[in-house]
Coordinates of all heavy atoms in Angstrom, one line a residue:
D1 N -51.9 25.5 7.2 CA -53.0 24.6 6.7 C -53.5 24.9 5.3 O -54.1 24.1 4.7 CB -54.1 24.7 7.7 CG -53.8 24.0 9.2 OD1 -52.8 23.3 9.2 OD2 -54.5 24.3 10.1
T2 N -53.4 26.2 4.9 CA -53.7 26.5 3.5 C -52.6 26.9 2.8 O -51.6 27.3 3.3 CB -54.8 27.7 3.6 OG1 -54.2 28.8 4.3 CG2 -56.1 27.3 4.3
S3 N -52.7 26.8 1.5 CA -51.6 27.2 0.5 C -51.4 28.6 0.4 O -52.3 29.3 0.7 CB -51.8 26.5 -0.8 OG -53.0 26.7 -1.3
R4 N -50.4 29.0 -0.3 CA -50.1 30.5 -0.6 C -51.4 31.1 -1.3 O -52.0 30.4 -2.3 CB -48.9 30.7 -1.5 CG -47.7 30.1 -0.9 CD -46.4 30.4 -1.9 NE -46.9 30.1 -3.3 CZ -46.6 29.0 -3.8 NH1 -46.2 28.0 -3.1 NH2 -46.9 28.8 -5.1
G5 N -51.7 32.1 -0.9 CA -52.9 32.8 -1.5 C -54.2 32.1 -1.3 O -55.2 32.4 -1.8
G6 N -54.3 31.2 -0.3 CA -55.5 30.5 -0.2 C -56.5 31.3 0.7 O -56.3 32.4 1.1
T7 N -57.7 30.8 0.8 CA -58.8 31.5 1.5 C -59.2 30.6 2.7 O -58.7 29.4 2.9 CB -60.1 31.7 0.6 OG1 -60.5 30.4 0.4 CG2 -59.7 32.5 -0.7
G8 N -60.0 31.2 3.6 CA -60.5 30.5 4.8 C -61.3 29.3 4.4 O -61.4 28.4 5.3
E9 N -61.8 29.2 3.3 CA -62.6 28.1 2.8 C -61.9 26.7 3.0 O -62.4 25.7 3.4 CB -63.1 28.2 1.4 CG -64.0 29.5 1.2 CD -64.4 29.5 -0.2 OE1 -63.9 28.8 -1.0 OE2 -65.2 30.4 -0.5
D10 N -60.6 26.8 2.8 CA -59.8 25.5 2.8 C -59.6 24.9 4.2 O -59.5 23.9 4.5 CB -58.4 25.7 2.2 CG -58.6 25.8 0.7 OD1 -59.6 25.2 0.1 OD2 -57.7 26.3 0.0
D11 N -59.6 26.0 5.3 CA -59.5 25.6 6.5 C -60.5 24.6 7.1 O -60.3 23.8 7.9 CB -59.4 26.9 7.5 CG -58.1 27.6 7.3 OD1 -57.1 27.0 6.9 OD2 -58.1 28.8 7.6
S12 N -61.7 24.8 6.7 CA -62.8 24.1 7.1 C -62.6 22.6 6.5 O -62.9 21.7 7.2 CB -64.1 24.5 6.6 OG -64.2 24.6 5.2
N13 N -62.1 22.6 5.3 CA -61.9 21.2 4.7 C -60.7 20.4 5.5 O -60.8 19.1 5.5 CB -61.4 21.4 3.3 CG -62.5 21.8 2.4 OD1 -63.6 21.6 2.6 ND2 -62.1 22.4 1.2
Q14 N -59.9 21.2 6.1 CA -58.8 20.5 6.9 C -59.2 19.8 8.1 O -58.7 19.0 8.6 CB -57.7 21.6 7.3 CG -57.0 22.2 6.1 CD -55.9 21.4 5.5 OE1 -55.5 20.4 6.1 NE2 -55.4 21.9 4.3
T15 N -60.3 20.4 8.8 CA -60.8 19.9 10.1 C -62.1 19.2 10.0 O -62.4 18.6 11.0 CB -61.0 21.1 11.0 OG1 -62.0 22.0 10.4 CG2 -59.7 22.0 11.2
D16 N -62.8 19.1 8.8 CA -64.0 18.4 8.8 C -63.7 16.9 8.7 O -62.6 16.4 8.4 CB -64.7 18.7 7.5 CG -65.4 20.2 7.6 OD1 -65.5 20.6 8.8 OD2 -65.8 20.7 6.5
G17 N -64.7 16.1 9.0 CA -64.6 14.6 8.9 C -64.4 14.3 7.4 O -64.4 15.0 6.5
F18 N -64.1 12.9 7.1 CA -63.8 12.5 5.9 C -65.0 12.5 5.0 O -66.1 12.0 5.3 CB -63.4 10.9 6.0 CG -63.2 10.4 4.7 CD1 -61.9 10.7 4.0 CD2 -64.0 9.5 4.0 CE1 -61.6 10.1 2.8 CE2 -63.6 8.9 2.8 CZ -62.5 9.3 2.2
D19 N -64.9 13.2 3.8 CA -65.9 13.4 2.9 C -65.6 12.5 1.6 O -64.8 12.9 0.9 CB -66.1 14.8 2.6 CG -67.2 15.2 1.6 OD1 -67.7 14.2 0.9 OD2 -67.7 16.2 1.7
R20 N -66.4 11.3 1.4 CA -66.1 10.4 0.5 C -66.2 11.1 -0.9 O -65.4 10.9 -1.8 CB -66.9 9.2 0.5 CG -66.6 8.1 -0.5 CD -67.5 6.9 -0.4 NE -68.9 7.3 -0.5 CZ -69.9 6.5 -0.5 NH1 -69.7 5.2 -0.2 NH2 -71.1 6.8 -0.9
D21 N -67.4 11.8 -1.1 CA -67.6 12.5 -2.4 C -66.4 13.4 -2.8 O -65.9 13.5 -3.9 CB -68.9 13.2 -2.5 CG -70.1 12.2 -2.3 OD1 -69.9 11.1 -2.6 OD2 -71.1 12.5 -1.9
A22 N -66.0 14.3 -1.8 CA -65.0 15.2 -2.0 C -63.7 14.4 -2.4 O -62.8 14.9 -3.2 CB -64.8 16.1 -0.8
Y23 N -63.5 13.4 -1.6 CA -62.2 12.6 -1.8 C -62.2 12.0 -3.3 O -61.1 12.2 -4.0 CB -62.2 11.4 -0.9 CG -61.0 10.4 -1.1 CD1 -59.9 10.6 -0.6 CD2 -61.2 9.2 -1.9 CE1 -58.7 9.8 -0.8 CE2 -60.2 8.4 -2.1 CZ -58.9 8.6 -1.6 OH -57.9 7.7 -1.7
V24 N -63.3 11.5 -3.7 CA -63.4 11.0 -5.2 C -63.2 12.1 -6.2 O -62.5 12.0 -7.2 CB -64.6 10.3 -5.3 CG1 -64.8 9.9 -6.8 CG2 -64.7 9.0 -4.4
R25 N -63.9 13.2 -5.9 CA -63.7 14.3 -6.8 C -62.2 14.9 -6.9 O -61.8 15.1 -8.0 CB -64.7 15.5 -6.3 CG -64.6 16.8 -7.2 CD -65.6 17.8 -6.7 NE -65.2 18.3 -5.5 CZ -65.9 18.1 -4.3 NH1 -66.9 17.4 -4.4 NH2 -65.4 18.6 -3.2
D26 N -61.6 15.0 -5.7 CA -60.2 15.4 -5.6 C -59.3 14.5 -6.4 O -58.4 14.9 -7.2 CB -59.7 15.5 -4.3 CG -60.4 16.7 -3.5 OD1 -61.0 17.5 -4.2 OD2 -60.1 16.7 -2.3
L27 N -59.6 13.2 -6.3 CA -58.8 12.2 -7.0 C -59.0 12.2 -8.4 O -57.9 12.2 -9.3 CB -59.2 10.7 -6.5 CG -58.3 9.6 -6.9 CD1 -56.9 9.7 -6.5 CD2 -58.9 8.3 -6.5
R28 N -60.1 12.4 -9.0 CA -60.5 12.5 -10.3 C -59.7 13.8 -10.9 O -59.3 13.8 -12.1 CB -62.0 12.7 -10.6 CG -62.4 12.6 -12.0 CD -63.9 12.8 -12.2 NE -64.6 11.8 -11.5 CZ -65.5 11.8 -10.6 NH1 -65.6 13.0 -10.0 NH2 -66.0 10.7 -10.0
E29 N -59.8 14.9 -10.2 CA -59.2 16.1 -10.7 C -57.7 16.0 -10.8 O -57.0 16.5 -11.8 CB -59.5 17.3 -9.6 CG -60.8 17.9 -9.7 CD -61.1 18.9 -8.7 OE1 -60.1 19.1 -7.9 OE2 -62.1 19.5 -8.6
G30 N -57.0 15.2 -10.0 CA -55.7 14.9 -10.1 C -55.3 14.2 -11.4 O -54.3 14.5 -12.0
I31 N -56.2 13.2 -11.7 CA -56.0 12.4 -12.9 C -56.3 13.3 -14.1 O -55.5 13.2 -15.1 CB -56.9 11.1 -12.9 CG1 -56.5 10.3 -11.7 CG2 -56.8 10.4 -14.2 CD1 -57.4 9.0 -11.5
E32 N -57.4 14.1 -14.1 CA -57.6 14.8 -15.2 C -56.6 15.9 -15.5 O -56.3 16.2 -16.7 CB -59.0 15.5 -15.0 CG -60.2 14.5 -15.0 CD -61.5 15.1 -14.7 OE1 -61.5 16.4 -14.2 OE2 -62.6 14.5 -14.9
M33 N -55.9 16.4 -14.5 CA -54.9 17.4 -14.7 C -53.7 16.8 -15.5 O -53.1 17.5 -16.2 CB -54.5 18.0 -13.4 CG -55.4 18.9 -12.7 SD -54.7 19.9 -11.3 CE -53.5 20.9 -12.3
L34 N -53.4 15.5 -15.3 CA -52.4 14.9 -16.1 C -52.8 14.6 -17.4 O -52.0 14.9 -18.3 CB -51.9 13.6 -15.2 CG -51.1 13.9 -14.1 CD1 -50.9 12.5 -13.2 CD2 -49.8 14.4 -14.4
T35 N -53.9 13.9 -17.6 CA -54.3 13.5 -19.0 C -54.7 14.7 -19.8 O -54.7 14.6 -21.0 CB -55.5 12.6 -18.8 OG1 -56.6 13.3 -18.1 CG2 -55.1 11.3 -18.1
G36 N -55.0 15.8 -19.3 CA -55.3 16.9 -20.0 C -54.2 18.1 -20.3 O -54.6 19.2 -20.7
S37 N -53.0 17.8 -20.0 CA -52.0 18.7 -20.1 C -50.8 18.1 -20.6 O -50.7 16.8 -20.7 CB -51.7 19.4 -18.8 OG -51.1 18.6 -17.7
V38 N -49.7 18.8 -20.9 CA -48.4 18.4 -21.3 C -47.7 17.6 -20.1 O -46.8 16.7 -20.4 CB -47.5 19.6 -21.6 CG1 -47.1 20.4 -20.4 CG2 -46.4 19.1 -22.5
L39 N -48.2 17.6 -18.9 CA -47.7 16.8 -17.9 C -47.8 15.3 -18.2 O -47.0 14.5 -17.9 CB -48.4 17.0 -16.5 CG -48.0 18.5 -15.9 CD1 -48.8 18.7 -14.6 CD2 -46.5 18.4 -15.5
G40 N -49.0 15.0 -18.9 CA -49.1 13.7 -19.3 C -48.1 13.1 -20.2 O -47.7 11.9 -20.1
L41 N -47.7 13.9 -21.2 CA -46.6 13.5 -22.2 C -45.3 13.5 -21.5 O -44.5 12.5 -21.7 CB -46.6 14.6 -23.3 CG -47.9 14.8 -24.1 CD1 -47.6 15.8 -25.0 CD2 -48.0 13.5 -24.8
M42 N -45.0 14.3 -20.5 CA -43.8 14.2 -19.8 C -43.8 12.7 -19.0 O -42.8 12.2 -18.8 CB -43.7 15.3 -18.6 CG -43.5 16.6 -19.2 SD -43.2 17.9 -18.1 CE -43.1 19.5 -19.0
L43 N -45.0 12.5 -18.3 CA -45.1 11.2 -17.7 C -44.8 10.0 -18.4 O -44.1 9.1 -17.9 CB -46.6 11.1 -17.1 CG -46.9 10.0 -16.3 CD1 -46.0 9.8 -15.1 CD2 -48.4 9.8 -15.9
V44 N -45.2 9.9 -19.7 CA -44.8 8.9 -20.6 C -43.4 8.6 -20.7 O -42.9 7.4 -20.4 CB -45.5 9.0 -22.0 CG1 -45.0 8.0 -22.9 CG2 -47.0 9.1 -21.9
G45 N -42.7 9.6 -20.9 CA -41.2 9.6 -20.9 C -40.7 9.0 -19.7 O -39.7 8.3 -19.6
S46 N -41.1 9.7 -18.6 CA -40.5 9.3 -17.2 C -40.8 7.8 -16.8 O -40.0 7.1 -16.3 CB -41.1 10.2 -16.1 OG -40.7 11.5 -16.4
L47 N -42.0 7.4 -17.3 CA -42.4 6.0 -16.9 C -41.4 4.9 -17.7 O -41.0 4.0 -17.2 CB -43.7 5.6 -17.4 CG -44.9 6.3 -16.6 CD1 -46.3 5.9 -17.1 CD2 -44.8 6.0 -15.1
F48 N -41.2 5.3 -18.9 CA -40.2 4.4 -19.7 C -38.8 4.4 -19.0 O -38.2 3.3 -19.0 CB -40.2 5.0 -21.1 CG -39.2 4.1 -22.1 CD1 -39.7 2.8 -22.4 CD2 -38.1 4.6 -22.5 CE1 -38.8 2.1 -23.1 CE2 -37.2 3.7 -23.4 CZ -37.6 2.5 -23.7

């Protein structure tokens, strides 16, 4: 349920009910990781 090197904190997230704020925050983090790194540049070439 948790990733390598993870902590018990993630286990609670796996079993809790749907948290809209956490969902939006997670989604925003995924987008920011792309726009703020070289992955975004790789993405441009892949999209083409």
